[in-house]
Amino acid sequence: MFIRKKIWPRTLSDFLSMTFILTIVPILYWFELWVVLPAIHEYGSLLYIINFLFGNFIMVNIIGNFTYIILCDTSTRRDIMSISAANTKNGWRLCASCETLAPPRSWHCPICNICILKRDHHCIFTGCCIGHYNHRYFIMFLLYLFVATTYGFCYNNMFLWSRIHFEFPMSIIKIIFPLAVFIFGFDGSINQFYLLLYIVSAVGMLYTAVLCIYHFYLVFNGNVANENNKNICIYNLGWKQNIKEVLGERWYLAWLLPYINSQLPHNGVIWDTLSSWQYTYSKSK
């Protein structure tokens, strides 16, 4: 894996978003496993152990995938200029910003100030672009964030409703309209803090659900966000091969842990298209 030379966010919005993720994830981890879980299941019981191990498994995947996203260099800084097929007929073009040839499916990022191989988008929560070599980790990062927030949301409901003294209609207002907490207050400062974390997990669940639907749709259709906006569909090789294009040859194991090696079928420069893939597949028969 090529390591990025500059991993710090380049803009204020990236810095603030990345700081939020690096702050809220550990806080929610502490809240769910050290506050909520012991209150729901007896310490040391089978259900406690199973949920504790599952929670740590999710956390390892969130941290691992996030780390790989920001460390992996998926730009054209890699040695690609020796490719003999570098001509406009094969999709190569001159990038005026980089003042060099850019391979097919790569786009220039004004924030990263470099062309990104199979660029999907610039992610403000990681402070870098999502491209060919870190796409897998981004998808899994989203998936495990969704699992974590959904899992936490379900347990938080049981935890909070056992602590809240329900009063109609004030309790309804505070649950439906979270900002009302800061206007009307809540019974006890620690409960107010717990409710705030509950709201964060609920919003995170909805937000990551939308992102998962969108990005998994792109993966299953063989596109990235840039191509989807331009209605490019020549790289749709069928759902199974499209998954391999992102997760690698060992796609059936790649979702378990980010540390599992799964070789990508392409080098980020030369790509199969639907026509070439069908031709190769028909010859193999």
Side-chain angles (χ1 to χ4, degrees):
M1 181 177 72
F2 285 73
I3 306 296
R4 290 174 61 216
K5 295 181 179 179
K6 297 180 180 180
I7 64 173
W8 299 110
R10 295 170 179 264
T11 65
L12 179 60
S13 60
D14 283 7
F15 175 78
L16 294 177
S17 300
M18 192 172 175
T19 300
F20 173 76
I21 288 293
L22 293 175
T23 302
I24 198 61
V25 169
I27 291 177
L28 286 176
Y29 169 76
W30 162 80
F31 177 59
E32 302 300 344
L33 292 190
W34 304 100
V35 177
V36 175
L37 185 59
I40 303 298
H41 299 299
E42 182 181 356
Y43 180 81
S45 66
L46 180 60
L47 283 176
Y48 176 89
I49 294 173
I50 291 174
N51 284 280
F52 184 80
L53 292 176
F54 184 62
N56 280 282
F57 169 74
I58 294 174
M59 188 63 173
V60 167
N61 271 282
I62 291 174
I63 294 175
N65 283 296
F66 181 85
T67 303
Y68 275 109
I69 291 172
I70 64 176
L71 289 181
C72 183
D73 188 349
T74 187
S75 70
T76 53
R77 291 188 181 95
R78 294 166 176 262
D79 184 17
I80 63 173
M81 300 316 297
S82 60
I83 302 297
S84 59
N87 61 70
T88 55
K89 292 182 179 179
N90 295 316
W92 289 73
R93 66 188 184 281
L94 177 65
C95 176
S97 300
C98 294
E99 296 183 346
T100 186
L101 289 175
R105 309 189 78 182
S106 66
W107 285 271
H108 186 85
C109 176
I111 300 176
C112 297
N113 196 32
I114 190 72
C115 285
I116 305 297
L117 298 173
K118 202 184 80 169
R119 182 178 184 268
D120 186 80
H121 70 288
H122 183 89
C123 178
I124 62 173
F125 294 105
T126 60
C128 65
C129 273
I130 306 303
H132 179 58
Y133 286 101
N134 63 359
H135 199 182
R136 161 195 171 181
Y137 307 114
F138 173 75
I139 290 295
M140 291 298 102
F141 177 65
L142 275 184
L143 176 63
Y144 279 102
L145 274 180
F146 172 69
V147 172
T149 51
T150 303
Y151 191 62
F153 176 75
C154 295
Y155 266 85
N156 292 345
N157 276 302
M158 293 185 286
F159 174 74
L160 280 177
W161 283 110
S162 65
R163 300 175 64 94
I164 295 176
H165 177 63
F166 187 84
E167 295 179 357
F168 185 84
M170 196 58 64
S171 295
I172 294 294
I173 294 175
K174 291 175 181 178
I175 294 298
I176 298 178
F177 303 101
L179 292 180
V181 172
F182 303 101
I183 299 175
F184 300 107
F186 198 70
D187 298 332
S189 58
I190 190 64
N191 282 344
Q192 185 171 333
F193 178 64
Y194 289 163
L195 180 60
L196 181 62
L197 294 180
Y198 169 79
I199 294 167
V200 170
S201 67
V203 173
M205 178 184 65
L206 296 174
Y207 183 64
T208 53
V210 172
L211 290 179
C212 279
I213 292 172
Y214 175 70
H215 285 284
F216 273 92
Y217 169 80
L218 293 178
V219 170
F220 283 122
N221 286 276
N223 280 346
V224 291
N226 274 321
E227 294 167 345
N228 189 58
N229 296 335
K230 298 176 176 63
N231 295 319
I232 298 175
C233 57
I234 61 173
Y235 300 110
N236 188 349
L237 308 179
W239 69 268
K240 187 174 182 179
Q241 186 59 32
N242 291 340
I243 293 175
K244 287 183 180 181
E245 298 285 317
V246 175
L247 300 185
E249 295 295 338
R250 303 175 71 191
W251 59 274
Y252 47 88
L253 294 176
W255 64 274
L256 286 173
L257 284 170
Y259 314 109
I260 295 176
N261 184 40
S262 184
Q263 184 67 37
L264 293 171
H266 294 99
N267 60 4
V269 177
I270 299 177
W271 302 94
D272 286 318
T273 61
L274 180 59
S275 57
S276 65
W277 178 257
Q278 289 175 337
Y279 176 75
T280 303
Y281 181 73
S282 62
K283 284 188 66 177
S284 64
K285 282 189 172 184

